[in-house]
Every structure is written in C-alpha cells, then in structure tokens.
mmCIF file of all heavy atoms in Angstrom:
data_model
loop_
_atom_site.group_PDB
_atom_site.id
_atom_site.type_symbol
_atom_site.label_atom_id
_atom_site.label_comp_id
_atom_site.label_asym_id
_atom_site.label_seq_id
_atom_site.Cartn_x
_atom_site.Cartn_y
_atom_site.Cartn_z
ATOM 1 N N GLY A 1 -7.370 -5.499 -0.711
ATOM 2 C CA GLY A 1 -8.826 -5.560 -0.657
ATOM 3 C C GLY A 1 -9.483 -4.391 0.029
ATOM 4 O O GLY A 1 -8.802 -3.401 0.552
ATOM 5 N N GLY A 2 -10.778 -4.351 0.149
ATOM 6 C CA GLY A 2 -11.487 -3.354 0.765
ATOM 7 C C GLY A 2 -11.190 -3.202 2.233
ATOM 8 O O GLY A 2 -11.030 -4.313 2.927
ATOM 9 N N GLY A 3 -11.040 -2.009 2.753
ATOM 10 C CA GLY A 3 -10.628 -1.830 4.157
ATOM 11 C C GLY A 3 -9.184 -2.046 4.479
ATOM 12 O O GLY A 3 -8.775 -1.942 5.618
ATOM 13 N N GLN A 4 -8.422 -2.525 3.452
ATOM 14 C CA GLN A 4 -7.020 -2.963 3.726
ATOM 15 C C GLN A 4 -6.073 -1.845 3.236
ATOM 16 O O GLN A 4 -6.490 -0.754 2.937
ATOM 17 C CB GLN A 4 -6.725 -4.294 3.020
ATOM 18 C CG GLN A 4 -7.617 -5.396 3.502
ATOM 19 C CD GLN A 4 -7.423 -6.652 2.686
ATOM 20 O OE1 GLN A 4 -6.669 -6.723 1.740
ATOM 21 N NE2 GLN A 4 -8.151 -7.728 3.118
ATOM 22 N N ARG A 5 -4.816 -2.217 3.192
ATOM 23 C CA ARG A 5 -3.754 -1.231 2.822
ATOM 24 C C ARG A 5 -2.559 -1.981 2.225
ATOM 25 O O ARG A 5 -2.522 -3.229 2.344
ATOM 26 C CB ARG A 5 -3.266 -0.436 3.979
ATOM 27 C CG ARG A 5 -2.442 -1.235 4.976
ATOM 28 C CD ARG A 5 -2.109 -0.486 6.254
ATOM 29 N NE ARG A 5 -3.082 -0.738 7.239
ATOM 30 C CZ ARG A 5 -3.324 0.116 8.318
ATOM 31 N NH1 ARG A 5 -2.591 1.152 8.462
ATOM 32 N NH2 ARG A 5 -4.242 -0.222 9.168
ATOM 33 N N ALA A 6 -1.693 -1.290 1.527
ATOM 34 C CA ALA A 6 -0.483 -1.934 1.110
ATOM 35 C C ALA A 6 0.333 -2.333 2.332
ATOM 36 O O ALA A 6 0.335 -1.654 3.368
ATOM 37 C CB ALA A 6 0.373 -0.931 0.230
ATOM 38 N N GLU A 7 1.090 -3.470 2.166
ATOM 39 C CA GLU A 7 1.858 -4.014 3.288
ATOM 40 C C GLU A 7 3.304 -4.271 2.895
ATOM 41 O O GLU A 7 3.562 -4.920 1.824
ATOM 42 C CB GLU A 7 1.245 -5.364 3.750
ATOM 43 C CG GLU A 7 -0.199 -5.224 4.317
ATOM 44 C CD GLU A 7 -0.318 -4.701 5.712
ATOM 45 O OE1 GLU A 7 0.736 -4.487 6.320
ATOM 46 O OE2 GLU A 7 -1.427 -4.431 6.168
ATOM 47 N N ARG A 8 4.195 -3.697 3.633
ATOM 48 C CA ARG A 8 5.651 -3.876 3.353
ATOM 49 C C ARG A 8 6.123 -5.335 3.421
ATOM 50 O O ARG A 8 6.898 -5.884 2.682
ATOM 51 C CB ARG A 8 6.505 -2.987 4.233
ATOM 52 C CG ARG A 8 7.962 -2.951 3.917
ATOM 53 C CD ARG A 8 8.666 -1.720 4.355
ATOM 54 N NE ARG A 8 8.549 -1.407 5.711
ATOM 55 C CZ ARG A 8 9.629 -1.620 6.603
ATOM 56 N NH1 ARG A 8 10.748 -2.078 6.209
ATOM 57 N NH2 ARG A 8 9.426 -1.263 7.873
ATOM 58 N N SER A 9 5.559 -6.046 4.465
ATOM 59 C CA SER A 9 5.886 -7.446 4.660
ATOM 60 C C SER A 9 5.571 -8.360 3.550
ATOM 61 O O SER A 9 6.333 -9.271 3.237
ATOM 62 C CB SER A 9 5.241 -7.948 5.994
ATOM 63 O OG SER A 9 3.822 -7.889 5.812
ATOM 64 N N ARG A 10 4.489 -8.002 2.814
ATOM 65 C CA ARG A 10 4.086 -8.801 1.680
ATOM 66 C C ARG A 10 5.158 -8.689 0.551
ATOM 67 O O ARG A 10 5.616 -9.642 -0.054
ATOM 68 C CB ARG A 10 2.718 -8.315 1.185
ATOM 69 C CG ARG A 10 2.216 -9.113 0.016
ATOM 70 C CD ARG A 10 0.721 -8.961 -0.210
ATOM 71 N NE ARG A 10 0.273 -7.559 -0.046
ATOM 72 C CZ ARG A 10 -0.657 -7.173 0.767
ATOM 73 N NH1 ARG A 10 -1.382 -8.071 1.489
ATOM 74 N NH2 ARG A 10 -1.038 -5.905 0.908
ATOM 75 N N GLY A 11 5.576 -7.507 0.284
ATOM 76 C CA GLY A 11 6.603 -7.292 -0.751
ATOM 77 C C GLY A 11 7.971 -7.940 -0.367
ATOM 78 O O GLY A 11 8.660 -8.490 -1.257
ATOM 79 N N ILE A 12 8.295 -7.900 0.937
ATOM 80 C CA ILE A 12 9.551 -8.505 1.376
ATOM 81 C C ILE A 12 9.419 -10.058 1.168
ATOM 82 O O ILE A 12 10.437 -10.641 0.645
ATOM 83 C CB ILE A 12 9.794 -8.263 2.848
ATOM 84 C CG1 ILE A 12 10.113 -6.775 2.997
ATOM 85 C CG2 ILE A 12 10.884 -9.107 3.392
ATOM 86 C CD1 ILE A 12 10.148 -6.264 4.513
ATOM 87 N N TYR A 13 8.303 -10.643 1.464
ATOM 88 C CA TYR A 13 8.185 -12.092 1.263
ATOM 89 C C TYR A 13 8.324 -12.464 -0.187
ATOM 90 O O TYR A 13 9.132 -13.411 -0.556
ATOM 91 C CB TYR A 13 6.811 -12.589 1.751
ATOM 92 C CG TYR A 13 6.507 -13.986 1.256
ATOM 93 C CD1 TYR A 13 7.087 -15.079 1.900
ATOM 94 C CD2 TYR A 13 5.691 -14.215 0.190
ATOM 95 C CE1 TYR A 13 6.854 -16.373 1.443
ATOM 96 C CE2 TYR A 13 5.424 -15.495 -0.276
ATOM 97 C CZ TYR A 13 6.043 -16.620 0.326
ATOM 98 O OH TYR A 13 5.826 -17.832 -0.103
ATOM 99 N N PHE A 14 7.689 -11.740 -1.086
ATOM 100 C CA PHE A 14 7.728 -12.057 -2.512
ATOM 101 C C PHE A 14 9.118 -11.743 -3.115
ATOM 102 O O PHE A 14 9.594 -12.458 -4.043
ATOM 103 C CB PHE A 14 6.588 -11.498 -3.319
ATOM 104 C CG PHE A 14 5.323 -12.257 -3.070
ATOM 105 C CD1 PHE A 14 4.249 -11.674 -2.378
ATOM 106 C CD2 PHE A 14 5.152 -13.516 -3.596
ATOM 107 C CE1 PHE A 14 3.082 -12.363 -2.183
ATOM 108 C CE2 PHE A 14 3.974 -14.257 -3.361
ATOM 109 C CZ PHE A 14 2.935 -13.630 -2.629
ATOM 110 N N ALA A 15 9.751 -10.772 -2.629
ATOM 111 C CA ALA A 15 11.126 -10.524 -3.080
ATOM 112 C C ALA A 15 12.056 -11.667 -2.703
ATOM 113 O O ALA A 15 12.968 -12.024 -3.499
ATOM 114 C CB ALA A 15 11.665 -9.208 -2.435
ATOM 115 N N LYS A 16 11.842 -12.231 -1.575
ATOM 116 C CA LYS A 16 12.611 -13.486 -1.241
ATOM 117 C C LYS A 16 12.299 -14.680 -2.042
ATOM 118 O O LYS A 16 13.051 -15.622 -2.094
ATOM 119 C CB LYS A 16 12.456 -13.754 0.304
ATOM 120 C CG LYS A 16 13.085 -12.693 1.192
ATOM 121 C CD LYS A 16 12.907 -13.031 2.642
ATOM 122 C CE LYS A 16 13.656 -12.018 3.536
ATOM 123 N NZ LYS A 16 13.496 -12.263 4.990
ATOM 124 N N GLN A 17 11.089 -14.620 -2.741
ATOM 125 C CA GLN A 17 10.740 -15.678 -3.726
ATOM 126 C C GLN A 17 11.276 -15.340 -5.115
ATOM 127 O O GLN A 17 11.001 -16.080 -6.068
ATOM 128 C CB GLN A 17 9.246 -15.856 -3.666
ATOM 129 C CG GLN A 17 8.587 -16.074 -2.312
ATOM 130 C CD GLN A 17 9.289 -16.974 -1.449
ATOM 131 O OE1 GLN A 17 9.572 -18.198 -1.870
ATOM 132 N NE2 GLN A 17 9.703 -16.570 -0.228
ATOM 133 N N GLY A 18 11.962 -14.183 -5.202
ATOM 134 C CA GLY A 18 12.511 -13.870 -6.526
ATOM 135 C C GLY A 18 11.684 -12.912 -7.417
ATOM 136 O O GLY A 18 11.923 -12.803 -8.574
ATOM 137 N N PHE A 19 10.676 -12.266 -6.746
ATOM 138 C CA PHE A 19 9.785 -11.346 -7.541
ATOM 139 C C PHE A 19 9.949 -9.846 -7.072
ATOM 140 O O PHE A 19 10.096 -9.618 -5.848
ATOM 141 C CB PHE A 19 8.312 -11.750 -7.309
ATOM 142 C CG PHE A 19 7.950 -13.060 -7.895
ATOM 143 C CD1 PHE A 19 7.794 -14.160 -7.014
ATOM 144 C CD2 PHE A 19 7.656 -13.194 -9.200
ATOM 145 C CE1 PHE A 19 7.465 -15.391 -7.513
ATOM 146 C CE2 PHE A 19 7.303 -14.455 -9.752
ATOM 147 C CZ PHE A 19 7.202 -15.550 -8.890
ATOM 148 N N ALA A 20 9.902 -8.971 -7.997
ATOM 149 C CA ALA A 20 9.610 -7.582 -7.693
ATOM 150 C C ALA A 20 8.168 -7.342 -7.597
ATOM 151 O O ALA A 20 7.388 -7.905 -8.394
ATOM 152 C CB ALA A 20 10.272 -6.647 -8.683
ATOM 153 N N THR A 21 7.675 -6.497 -6.698
ATOM 154 C CA THR A 21 6.295 -6.215 -6.580
ATOM 155 C C THR A 21 6.061 -4.767 -6.355
ATOM 156 O O THR A 21 6.867 -4.107 -5.700
ATOM 157 C CB THR A 21 5.555 -7.004 -5.421
ATOM 158 O OG1 THR A 21 6.152 -6.628 -4.185
ATOM 159 C CG2 THR A 21 5.713 -8.481 -5.641
ATOM 160 N N VAL A 22 4.965 -4.271 -6.823
ATOM 161 C CA VAL A 22 4.459 -2.912 -6.404
ATOM 162 C C VAL A 22 3.073 -3.133 -5.848
ATOM 163 O O VAL A 22 2.177 -3.634 -6.426
ATOM 164 C CB VAL A 22 4.444 -1.918 -7.565
ATOM 165 C CG1 VAL A 22 3.572 -2.283 -8.665
ATOM 166 C CG2 VAL A 22 4.099 -0.497 -7.011
ATOM 167 N N ASP A 23 2.968 -2.770 -4.563
ATOM 168 C CA ASP A 23 1.743 -3.024 -3.717
ATOM 169 C C ASP A 23 1.093 -1.641 -3.629
ATOM 170 O O ASP A 23 1.410 -0.794 -2.810
ATOM 171 C CB ASP A 23 2.165 -3.576 -2.403
ATOM 172 C CG ASP A 23 0.947 -4.024 -1.549
ATOM 173 O OD1 ASP A 23 -0.145 -3.687 -1.888
ATOM 174 O OD2 ASP A 23 1.119 -4.798 -0.582
ATOM 175 N N ILE A 24 0.055 -1.418 -4.463
ATOM 176 C CA ILE A 24 -0.590 -0.051 -4.527
ATOM 177 C C ILE A 24 -1.559 0.145 -3.355
ATOM 178 O O ILE A 24 -2.402 -0.668 -3.050
ATOM 179 C CB ILE A 24 -1.257 0.146 -5.880
ATOM 180 C CG1 ILE A 24 -2.294 -0.900 -6.185
ATOM 181 C CG2 ILE A 24 -0.184 0.276 -7.007
ATOM 182 C CD1 ILE A 24 -3.037 -0.638 -7.473
ATOM 183 N N ASN A 25 -1.481 1.311 -2.796
ATOM 184 C CA ASN A 25 -2.313 1.695 -1.588
ATOM 185 C C ASN A 25 -3.519 2.454 -2.083
ATOM 186 O O ASN A 25 -3.706 3.674 -1.729
ATOM 187 C CB ASN A 25 -1.481 2.478 -0.607
ATOM 188 C CG ASN A 25 -2.201 2.490 0.783
ATOM 189 O OD1 ASN A 25 -2.586 1.438 1.273
ATOM 190 N ND2 ASN A 25 -2.236 3.699 1.316
ATOM 191 N N TRP A 26 -4.460 1.851 -2.888
ATOM 192 C CA TRP A 26 -5.481 2.603 -3.538
ATOM 193 C C TRP A 26 -6.448 3.171 -2.572
ATOM 194 O O TRP A 26 -7.127 4.232 -2.810
ATOM 195 C CB TRP A 26 -6.178 1.714 -4.582
ATOM 196 C CG TRP A 26 -6.906 0.468 -4.040
ATOM 197 C CD1 TRP A 26 -6.384 -0.824 -4.062
ATOM 198 C CD2 TRP A 26 -8.174 0.368 -3.481
ATOM 199 N NE1 TRP A 26 -7.274 -1.699 -3.537
ATOM 200 C CE2 TRP A 26 -8.424 -1.005 -3.153
ATOM 201 C CE3 TRP A 26 -9.205 1.291 -3.184
ATOM 202 C CZ2 TRP A 26 -9.558 -1.465 -2.566
ATOM 203 C CZ3 TRP A 26 -10.374 0.872 -2.595
ATOM 204 C CH2 TRP A 26 -10.534 -0.494 -2.274
ATOM 205 N N LEU A 27 -6.656 2.567 -1.392
ATOM 206 C CA LEU A 27 -7.703 3.093 -0.473
ATOM 207 C C LEU A 27 -7.176 4.293 0.357
ATOM 208 O O LEU A 27 -7.997 5.054 0.842
ATOM 209 C CB LEU A 27 -8.102 1.967 0.542
ATOM 210 C CG LEU A 27 -9.185 2.255 1.516
ATOM 211 C CD1 LEU A 27 -10.453 2.772 0.762
ATOM 212 C CD2 LEU A 27 -9.563 0.942 2.290
ATOM 213 N N GLY A 28 -5.875 4.464 0.458
ATOM 214 C CA GLY A 28 -5.260 5.639 1.106
ATOM 215 C C GLY A 28 -5.157 5.563 2.543
ATOM 216 O O GLY A 28 -4.926 6.526 3.286
ATOM 217 N N ARG A 29 -5.284 4.345 3.126
ATOM 218 C CA ARG A 29 -5.094 4.166 4.556
ATOM 219 C C ARG A 29 -3.557 4.386 4.893
ATOM 220 O O ARG A 29 -2.713 4.146 4.050
ATOM 221 C CB ARG A 29 -5.465 2.774 5.020
ATOM 222 C CG ARG A 29 -6.944 2.535 5.073
ATOM 223 C CD ARG A 29 -7.234 1.198 5.694
ATOM 224 N NE ARG A 29 -6.802 1.131 7.058
ATOM 225 C CZ ARG A 29 -6.906 0.040 7.871
ATOM 226 N NH1 ARG A 29 -7.299 -1.086 7.343
ATOM 227 N NH2 ARG A 29 -6.538 0.092 9.127
ATOM 228 N N PRO A 30 -3.276 4.919 6.061
ATOM 229 C CA PRO A 30 -1.846 5.061 6.492
ATOM 230 C C PRO A 30 -1.011 3.773 6.315
ATOM 231 O O PRO A 30 -1.528 2.744 6.762
ATOM 232 C CB PRO A 30 -1.940 5.554 7.878
ATOM 233 C CG PRO A 30 -3.280 6.158 8.062
ATOM 234 C CD PRO A 30 -4.174 5.393 7.164
ATOM 235 N N MET A 31 0.152 3.837 5.735
ATOM 236 C CA MET A 31 0.928 2.682 5.494
ATOM 237 C C MET A 31 2.103 2.650 6.518
ATOM 238 O O MET A 31 2.525 1.551 6.837
ATOM 239 C CB MET A 31 1.573 2.731 4.079
ATOM 240 C CG MET A 31 0.515 2.676 3.000
ATOM 241 S SD MET A 31 1.090 3.323 1.422
ATOM 242 C CE MET A 31 2.547 2.274 1.116
ATOM 243 N N ASP A 32 2.617 3.766 6.997
ATOM 244 C CA ASP A 32 3.745 3.797 7.838
ATOM 245 C C ASP A 32 3.475 4.941 8.818
ATOM 246 O O ASP A 32 3.227 6.152 8.416
ATOM 247 C CB ASP A 32 4.992 3.998 7.094
ATOM 248 C CG ASP A 32 6.249 3.916 7.958
ATOM 249 O OD1 ASP A 32 6.346 4.608 8.982
ATOM 250 O OD2 ASP A 32 7.150 3.117 7.662
ATOM 251 N N ALA A 33 3.610 4.673 10.149
ATOM 252 C CA ALA A 33 3.244 5.724 11.151
ATOM 253 C C ALA A 33 4.161 6.926 11.093
ATOM 254 O O ALA A 33 3.808 7.991 11.476
ATOM 255 C CB ALA A 33 3.368 5.122 12.559
ATOM 256 N N GLU A 34 5.350 6.762 10.495
ATOM 257 C CA GLU A 34 6.289 7.879 10.447
ATOM 258 C C GLU A 34 6.179 8.654 9.151
ATOM 259 O O GLU A 34 7.051 9.614 8.944
ATOM 260 C CB GLU A 34 7.711 7.308 10.668
ATOM 261 C CG GLU A 34 7.929 6.635 12.003
ATOM 262 C CD GLU A 34 9.346 6.093 12.197
ATOM 263 O OE1 GLU A 34 10.129 6.288 11.248
ATOM 264 O OE2 GLU A 34 9.633 5.592 13.273
ATOM 265 N N ILE A 35 5.378 8.231 8.209
ATOM 266 C CA ILE A 35 5.272 8.860 6.881
ATOM 267 C C ILE A 35 3.922 9.406 6.630
ATOM 268 O O ILE A 35 2.929 8.655 6.719
ATOM 269 C CB ILE A 35 5.669 7.928 5.771
ATOM 270 C CG1 ILE A 35 7.146 7.388 5.924
ATOM 271 C CG2 ILE A 35 5.551 8.519 4.390
ATOM 272 C CD1 ILE A 35 7.527 6.356 4.949
ATOM 273 N N ASN A 36 3.780 10.719 6.391
ATOM 274 C CA ASN A 36 2.496 11.370 6.188
ATOM 275 C C ASN A 36 2.106 11.282 4.722
ATOM 276 O O ASN A 36 0.893 11.302 4.388
ATOM 277 C CB ASN A 36 2.513 12.766 6.741
ATOM 278 C CG ASN A 36 2.606 12.862 8.170
ATOM 279 O OD1 ASN A 36 2.072 12.040 8.927
ATOM 280 N ND2 ASN A 36 3.365 13.839 8.691
ATOM 281 N N GLU A 37 3.069 11.395 3.853
ATOM 282 C CA GLU A 37 2.711 11.458 2.399
ATOM 283 C C GLU A 37 2.069 10.079 1.989
ATOM 284 O O GLU A 37 2.638 9.020 2.309
ATOM 285 C CB GLU A 37 3.948 11.696 1.584
ATOM 286 C CG GLU A 37 3.687 12.053 0.120
ATOM 287 C CD GLU A 37 4.762 12.853 -0.565
ATOM 288 O OE1 GLU A 37 5.715 13.203 0.137
ATOM 289 O OE2 GLU A 37 4.689 13.103 -1.759
ATOM 290 N N ASN A 38 0.950 10.235 1.285
ATOM 291 C CA ASN A 38 0.188 9.041 0.973
ATOM 292 C C ASN A 38 -0.625 9.269 -0.302
ATOM 293 O O ASN A 38 -0.486 10.270 -0.938
ATOM 294 C CB ASN A 38 -0.766 8.712 2.185
ATOM 295 C CG ASN A 38 -1.175 7.248 2.256
ATOM 296 O OD1 ASN A 38 -1.137 6.510 1.232
ATOM 297 N ND2 ASN A 38 -1.554 6.820 3.382
ATOM 298 N N THR A 39 -1.470 8.285 -0.587
ATOM 299 C CA THR A 39 -2.339 8.399 -1.739
ATOM 300 C C THR A 39 -3.228 9.645 -1.634
ATOM 301 O O THR A 39 -3.786 9.940 -0.591
ATOM 302 C CB THR A 39 -3.254 7.140 -1.861
ATOM 303 O OG1 THR A 39 -2.418 5.987 -2.033
ATOM 304 C CG2 THR A 39 -4.222 7.310 -2.965
ATOM 305 N N ASP A 40 -3.302 10.422 -2.730
ATOM 306 C CA ASP A 40 -4.150 11.613 -2.797
ATOM 307 C C ASP A 40 -4.817 11.645 -4.082
ATOM 308 O O ASP A 40 -4.250 11.891 -5.098
ATOM 309 C CB ASP A 40 -3.211 12.863 -2.586
ATOM 310 C CG ASP A 40 -4.114 14.111 -2.456
ATOM 311 O OD1 ASP A 40 -5.263 14.085 -2.791
ATOM 312 O OD2 ASP A 40 -3.551 15.173 -1.969
ATOM 313 N N TRP A 41 -6.130 11.300 -4.067
ATOM 314 C CA TRP A 41 -6.906 11.266 -5.311
ATOM 315 C C TRP A 41 -7.351 12.642 -5.834
ATOM 316 O O TRP A 41 -7.999 12.717 -6.898
ATOM 317 C CB TRP A 41 -8.097 10.352 -5.086
ATOM 318 C CG TRP A 41 -7.785 8.893 -5.026
ATOM 319 C CD1 TRP A 41 -7.671 8.151 -3.909
ATOM 320 C CD2 TRP A 41 -7.510 8.085 -6.172
ATOM 321 N NE1 TRP A 41 -7.318 6.850 -4.301
ATOM 322 C CE2 TRP A 41 -7.273 6.782 -5.659
ATOM 323 C CE3 TRP A 41 -7.432 8.255 -7.547
ATOM 324 C CZ2 TRP A 41 -6.888 5.714 -6.435
ATOM 325 C CZ3 TRP A 41 -7.108 7.177 -8.330
ATOM 326 C CH2 TRP A 41 -6.883 5.958 -7.818
ATOM 327 N N GLY A 42 -7.023 13.690 -5.113
ATOM 328 C CA GLY A 42 -7.340 15.029 -5.628
ATOM 329 C C GLY A 42 -8.824 15.277 -5.659
ATOM 330 O O GLY A 42 -9.464 15.146 -4.551
ATOM 331 N N LYS A 43 -9.367 15.583 -6.766
ATOM 332 C CA LYS A 43 -10.812 15.982 -6.863
ATOM 333 C C LYS A 43 -11.753 14.794 -7.218
ATOM 334 O O LYS A 43 -12.878 15.023 -7.608
ATOM 335 C CB LYS A 43 -11.001 17.094 -7.837
ATOM 336 C CG LYS A 43 -10.416 18.429 -7.288
ATOM 337 C CD LYS A 43 -10.806 19.598 -8.229
ATOM 338 C CE LYS A 43 -10.337 20.967 -7.680
ATOM 339 N NZ LYS A 43 -10.691 22.109 -8.517
ATOM 340 N N VAL A 44 -11.145 13.575 -7.257
ATOM 341 C CA VAL A 44 -11.990 12.403 -7.464
ATOM 342 C C VAL A 44 -11.823 11.504 -6.276
ATOM 343 O O VAL A 44 -10.914 11.729 -5.450
ATOM 344 C CB VAL A 44 -11.642 11.637 -8.759
ATOM 345 C CG1 VAL A 44 -11.915 12.469 -10.024
ATOM 346 C CG2 VAL A 44 -10.199 11.146 -8.774
ATOM 347 N N ASP A 45 -12.688 10.467 -6.102
ATOM 348 C CA ASP A 45 -12.619 9.657 -4.897
ATOM 349 C C ASP A 45 -13.167 8.246 -5.208
ATOM 350 O O ASP A 45 -14.372 7.978 -5.057
ATOM 351 C CB ASP A 45 -13.441 10.299 -3.833
ATOM 352 C CG ASP A 45 -13.374 9.537 -2.472
ATOM 353 O OD1 ASP A 45 -12.559 8.531 -2.442
ATOM 354 O OD2 ASP A 45 -14.085 9.851 -1.557
ATOM 355 N N PRO A 46 -12.286 7.308 -5.561
ATOM 356 C CA PRO A 46 -12.682 5.931 -5.734
ATOM 357 C C PRO A 46 -12.483 5.018 -4.537
ATOM 358 O O PRO A 46 -12.202 3.855 -4.648
ATOM 359 C CB PRO A 46 -11.800 5.448 -6.924
ATOM 360 C CG PRO A 46 -10.549 6.172 -6.623
ATOM 361 C CD PRO A 46 -10.839 7.501 -5.967
ATOM 362 N N THR A 47 -12.658 5.629 -3.337
ATOM 363 C CA THR A 47 -12.355 4.938 -2.066
ATOM 364 C C THR A 47 -13.689 4.524 -1.371
ATOM 365 O O THR A 47 -14.793 4.610 -1.939
ATOM 366 C CB THR A 47 -11.443 5.782 -1.167
ATOM 367 O OG1 THR A 47 -12.293 6.865 -0.622
ATOM 368 C CG2 THR A 47 -10.279 6.312 -1.961
#
C-alpha cells in the first residue's frame, strides 16, 4: 500500500503456506539496510 514497502517476512509466511510470491517494491522505499540497489523508475515517477 501507500507509504509501505515490500516485506521479506510476508513472503516467508506465504511460502510456509505453500505459495511462491513476488512482493514488488513499487514505492521504492528501502527494503534492506544492507542493500542499496532498489527500485529505479528512471525518467518517470509513479510514486
């Protein structure tokens, strides 16, 4: 949702329920403090 981000814990929970998931980080907020590479919309901005 708005103001939110992709969450690793969410994918782990649903994997344990037998689902594969892709949790898209469309807003571009930091997902992991140790990883800089993130969403980059280039010359457009739907955020």
Side-chain angles (χ1 to χ4, degrees):
Q4 300 175 358
R5 73 187 90 200
E7 299 282 354
R8 184 153 60 103
S9 60
R10 182 163 40 233
I12 292 171
Y13 167 77
F14 282 110
K16 291 181 177 180
Q17 310 312 307
F19 295 100
T21 61
V22 60
D23 189 343
I24 56 174
N25 197 49
W26 61 262
L27 185 53
R29 288 187 65 186
M31 296 160 59
D32 187 304
E34 297 179 357
I35 299 175
N36 292 324
E37 193 157 353
N38 204 339
T39 297
D40 186 343
W41 285 102
K43 289 189 176 181
V44 295
D45 181 8
T47 72

